[in-house]
Amino acid sequence: MLRSLTAPLKRYARWLHTRWPAGTIERLPETRADGSTAVPGLYIAGDLAGVPLLKFAADTGARAVRTILASPGFARERRGKPAGVHDLIIVGGGVSGMAAALEARKAGLDLVLFEAKRPFQTVADFPKAKPIYTYPRGMTPAGDLQVTADVKEALYEELLAQTRDVPIREGHVERVRRAGGFLEAAVSGAAPVRGLRAIVAIGRSGSFRKLNVPGEDLDKVYNRLHDPMDFRGRKVLVVGGGDSALETAMALAQCGAEVTLSYRGGEFSKAKPENLEGLRRLAADPSADVAIEAPISDRVTTAAGEFLGPGRTPGRIRLETGSTVRAIRPDAVELERADGSRHHLQNDVVFSMIGREAPLEFFRRSGVKIAGEWTAARVAGLAAFMLFCLALYDWKSGGLLDDLSRRAGAFPYSLGRWLAGRDPKSLAGIVLTSAQGPSFWYTLAYSIVVIAFGVRRIRRRRTPYVRVQTMTLAAILVLPLFLLPEILLPWLDAHGRLPTATVANSGGPTA
Ligand SMILES: Cc1cc2nc3c(=O)[nH]c(=O)nc-3n(C[C@H](O)[C@H](O)[C@H](O)COP(=O)(O)OP(=O)(O)OC[C@H]3O[C@@H](n4cnc5c(N)ncnc54)[C@H](O)[C@@H]3O)c2cc1C
């Protein structure tokens, strides 16, 4: 009975991500919801704009162009621009940059797109036969670039086919800054290029995060899995707890490697549910066919064309949650478990899949602030905000400030005069009565802040999950803290609709 009551609660708590976000907050360049930055005319799209998924990358790229087209003065600037100045510079030929390019071409913009390596380099680097998850399923990205394929090779082909007509200029852009009234892209080994607007869509192309352990520089340590078949029969350590780590571990095990998955956390809270389920099934039964959307095991063939299906030469996955890699040696790795004990595992290969740093230097060079970086102005702003909060709290809880405003008959006590001639039981009368107390304004301000941040969050992270989660949390806070005590309960009380009023009116217990 108790179990049946607690199970839904547990599911709900998990859904709300009570243990998340795990780890440290990632540093990203500061952008507004439409991708614009503090550098006029410079926009950021794709992974660096927030949600690191293919559909969002395409969506933010196309939307950035739409925002630019609608920006005041852009049409006039286009008409008056000197020769050699492009309408739009796009940096990065990944999903986002290409989606932006398609949208810009459709609008007839004169654009230049720089790509440092080759178009869709990030996708080209996905492991062979990697299943593709196209989240959120119900979302159709803005613009023409769509992603429907369910496996890496098909995705890459699909993306190339849709963007064949996009002209690409090979070049590594060092920075984009304002100069002489335009945006100027500094390109390695080439002349700078000027444009009216620029979209930076360079993905998470920064350096791979380091484990910072001895042996990390050995040749057997990789950050990227190309073909899992290359590691068949080998003893592999995969490090990390996100989707890349889980997908790497599963692909390797399905191709016959003996995999140990080491993760510092107690639970894999950062990974997609499909990957968690797949990992759980594979760890229990190595021959399970786990890749739910696109079974990798159906697609993996050896160079000789040999098919490795479920149950054929499976490897295994051993989970080492709560463990930390302490050293990597040519033939072994040393892991430390949560209880402090250390043990050695025989090992041929290590995949360190703990993510990449965002390419922050690019943005620092371009004059874009990095969210969360402390500057003197930020420290002063935070101190001022804390002082304001203290004063507000003092006022709300009947402290010195409240005393002063009450004696002076100042706001909010002065609102009483608006009650004259009004029915105190009407909605306006109830609101005016409540509004004479500081707590009304305190909780109203609180509710506005919660709703404003909620709307910002929903606009920034347009997933169904974030929308429902944020609206639920806002409702949970605004209803009992503001609407109930300040308006609904006083209204019910004034109209004799509260249970206590009924008991009192019915005479109550006889004395
Ligand atoms: C291993 C892996 C698996 C993934 N699996 C999935 C999945 O199943 N489903 C999903 O939705 N998402 C997945 N993703 C995420 C998805 O790949 C990204 O969200 C998407 O590629 C981001 O697009 P983007 O255009 O922002 O950046 P990218 O695709 O990374 O493109 C950036 C481009 O910019 C170029 N570039 C970088 N710096 C410069 C410079 N200075 N000058 C010029 N060019 C530059 C790069 O060469 C690159 O081509 C996965 C990511 C990885 C790494």
Side-chain angles (χ1 to χ4, degrees), residues 45-48 51-58 60 90-98 114-123 125-127 130-135 147 155 171-175 201-205 243-244 247-248 272 353 356 359 362 365:
D47 272 7
L48 296 171
V51 188
L53 288 172
L54 294 160
K55 280 191 172 178
F56 285 93
T60 52
I90 299 175
V91 187
V95 177
S96 187
M98 288 295 206
F114 287 101
E115 166 54 51
K117 294 175 184 163
R118 61 171 157 161
F120 305 109
Q121 180 68 49
T122 302
V123 175
D125 284 342
F126 283 5
K130 175 195 162 339
I132 300 302
Y133 302 94
T134 45
Y135 285 118
V147 282
L155 172 70
H172 186 272
V173 177
E174 300 292 340
R175 60 173 164 74
I202 57 177
R204 285 165 194 247
S205 43
D243 287 311
S244 292
E247 287 171 9
T248 300
K272 297 184 190 96
M353 309 301 280
R356 286 175 152 204
F362 181 100
R365 285 195 295 268

Side-chain angles (χ1 to χ4, degrees), residues 39-293:
V39 177
L42 180 65
Y43 292 75
I44 296 176
D47 272 7
L48 296 171
V51 188
L53 288 172
L54 294 160
K55 280 191 172 178
F56 285 93
D59 190 72
T60 52
R63 279 184 199 280
V65 174
R66 290 182 188 175
T67 307
I68 288 170
L69 291 172
S71 64
F74 181 61
R76 186 175 25 82
E77 285 177 58
R78 277 184 79 199
R79 283 193 297 274
K81 71 176 181 172
V85 174
H86 297 277
D87 292 335
L88 178 63
I89 301 171
I90 299 175
V91 187
V95 177
S96 187
M98 288 295 206
L102 289 182
E103 196 69 11
R105 276 171 70 89
K106 204 160 67 180
L109 299 190
D110 152 36
L111 75 105
V112 55
L113 184 151
F114 287 101
E115 166 54 51
K117 294 175 184 163
R118 61 171 157 161
F120 305 109
Q121 180 68 49
T122 302
V123 175
D125 284 342
F126 283 5
K128 194 171 166 183
K130 175 195 162 339
I132 300 302
Y133 302 94
T134 45
Y135 285 118
R137 294 213 178 80
M139 174 187 183
T140 305
D144 290 344
L145 190 66
Q146 299 297 322
V147 282
T148 58
D150 61 0
V151 69
K152 175 245 173 118
E153 286 71 14
L155 172 70
Y156 187 54
E157 285 306 318
E158 164 180 57
L159 292 171
L160 285 179
Q162 293 176 77
T163 51
R164 285 205 201 290
D165 297 337
V166 175
I168 294 160
R169 201 180 289 184
E170 203 180 314
H172 186 272
V173 177
E174 300 292 340
R175 60 173 164 74
V176 180
R177 292 204 85 131
R178 282 212 80 81
F182 301 106
L183 284 160
E184 189 178 85
V187 190
S188 308
V193 171
R194 293 190 300 164
L196 299 176
R197 303 284 187 276
I199 297 176
V200 178
I202 57 177
R204 285 165 194 247
S205 43
S207 45
F208 290 101
R209 291 205 182 100
K210 291 278 196 190
L211 289 167
N212 293 321
V213 296
E216 186 165 16
D217 296 332
L218 289 173
D219 286 347
K220 70 172 196 172
V221 182
Y222 299 86
N223 298 111
R224 185 182 289 152
L225 172 66
H226 175 58
D227 188 347
M229 283 302 296
D230 294 345
F231 303 95
R232 192 177 174 191
R234 314 280 294 277
K235 294 182 174 55
V236 184
L237 176 75
V238 178
V239 189
D243 287 311
S244 292
L246 267 60
E247 287 171 9
T248 300
M250 290 194 289
L252 286 163
Q254 284 199 306
C255 290
E258 275 184 47
V259 181
T260 302
L261 178 59
S262 163
Y263 177 47
R264 280 191 310 185
E267 287 191 46
F268 295 99
S269 51
K270 292 187 206 161
K272 297 184 190 96
E274 282 87 344
N275 281 336
L276 285 175
E277 173 62 13
L279 183 71
R280 192 188 59 73
R281 287 178 52 201
L282 256 189
D285 172 11
S287 62
D289 182 11
V290 296
I292 288 156
E293 294 193 357

Side-chain angles (χ1 to χ4, degrees), residues 158-493:
E158 164 180 57
L159 292 171
L160 285 179
Q162 293 176 77
T163 51
R164 285 205 201 290
D165 297 337
V166 175
I168 294 160
R169 201 180 289 184
E170 203 180 314
H172 186 272
V173 177
E174 300 292 340
R175 60 173 164 74
V176 180
R177 292 204 85 131
R178 282 212 80 81
F182 301 106
L183 284 160
E184 189 178 85
V187 190
S188 308
V193 171
R194 293 190 300 164
L196 299 176
R197 303 284 187 276
I199 297 176
V200 178
I202 57 177
R204 285 165 194 247
S205 43
S207 45
F208 290 101
R209 291 205 182 100
K210 291 278 196 190
L211 289 167
N212 293 321
V213 296
E216 186 165 16
D217 296 332
L218 289 173
D219 286 347
K220 70 172 196 172
V221 182
Y222 299 86
N223 298 111
R224 185 182 289 152
L225 172 66
H226 175 58
D227 188 347
M229 283 302 296
D230 294 345
F231 303 95
R232 192 177 174 191
R234 314 280 294 277
K235 294 182 174 55
V236 184
L237 176 75
V238 178
V239 189
D243 287 311
S244 292
L246 267 60
E247 287 171 9
T248 300
M250 290 194 289
L252 286 163
Q254 284 199 306
C255 290
E258 275 184 47
V259 181
T260 302
L261 178 59
S262 163
Y263 177 47
R264 280 191 310 185
E267 287 191 46
F268 295 99
S269 51
K270 292 187 206 161
K272 297 184 190 96
E274 282 87 344
N275 281 336
L276 285 175
E277 173 62 13
L279 183 71
R280 192 188 59 73
R281 287 178 52 201
L282 256 189
D285 172 11
S287 62
D289 182 11
V290 296
I292 288 156
E293 294 193 357
I296 196 168
S297 49
D298 285 350
R299 295 166 194 276
V300 173
T301 49
T302 63
E306 177 196 357
F307 170 70
L308 289 179
R312 303 274 304 276
T313 61
R316 66 182 176 114
I317 295 189
R318 213 160 56 86
L319 303 183
E320 281 279 359
T321 49
S323 71
T324 311
V325 182
R326 288 297 174 207
I328 300 172
R329 300 190 221 296
D331 58 350
V333 287
E334 187 179 332
L335 293 187
E336 181 177 320
R337 293 195 174 131
D339 62 7
S341 64
R342 291 198 178 198
H343 63 122
H344 292 82
L345 295 179
Q346 279 198 333
N347 172 269
D348 302 317
V349 182
V350 174
F351 282 91
S352 172
M353 309 301 280
I354 54 175
R356 286 175 152 204
E357 305 288 353
L360 299 182
E361 279 312 317
F362 181 100
F363 294 102
R364 291 192 185 108
R365 285 195 295 268
S366 303
V368 177
K369 283 192 194 142
I370 308 302
E373 271 186 356
W374 288 103
T375 58
R378 267 209 175 126
V379 173
L382 182 70
F385 180 70
M386 294 305 287
L387 280 176
F388 171 76
C389 289
L390 276 176
L392 194 66
Y393 186 75
D394 171 81
W395 178 65
K396 171 251 176 190
S397 43
L400 179 68
L401 286 175
D402 178 48
D403 202 32
L404 288 176
S405 58
R406 189 193 300 267
R407 281 183 208 201
F411 181 86
Y413 300 102
S414 56
L415 291 175
R417 65 172 180 269
W418 295 96
L419 261 176
R422 270 181 214 276
D423 175 6
K425 289 186 176 181
S426 67
L427 188 59
I430 301 280
V431 172
L432 274 171
T433 308
S434 289
Q436 288 176 64
S439 72
F440 176 94
W441 297 100
Y442 184 81
T443 48
L444 176 65
Y446 176 84
S447 301
I448 290 172
V449 168
V450 166
I451 290 170
F453 274 98
V455 169
R456 252 182 78 175
R457 183 165 185 257
I458 290 171
R459 288 181 62 194
R460 177 67 65 99
R461 302 189 159 243
R462 296 167 190 265
T463 65
Y465 168 78
V466 165
R467 191 171 58 247
V468 178
Q469 186 210 41
T470 309
M471 283 165 63
T472 309
L473 288 174
I476 287 173
L477 292 170
V478 171
L479 187 71
L481 291 183
F482 176 67
L483 289 177
L484 269 180
E486 300 294 345
I487 298 172
L488 285 176
L489 290 177
W491 190 87
L492 289 172
D493 190 29

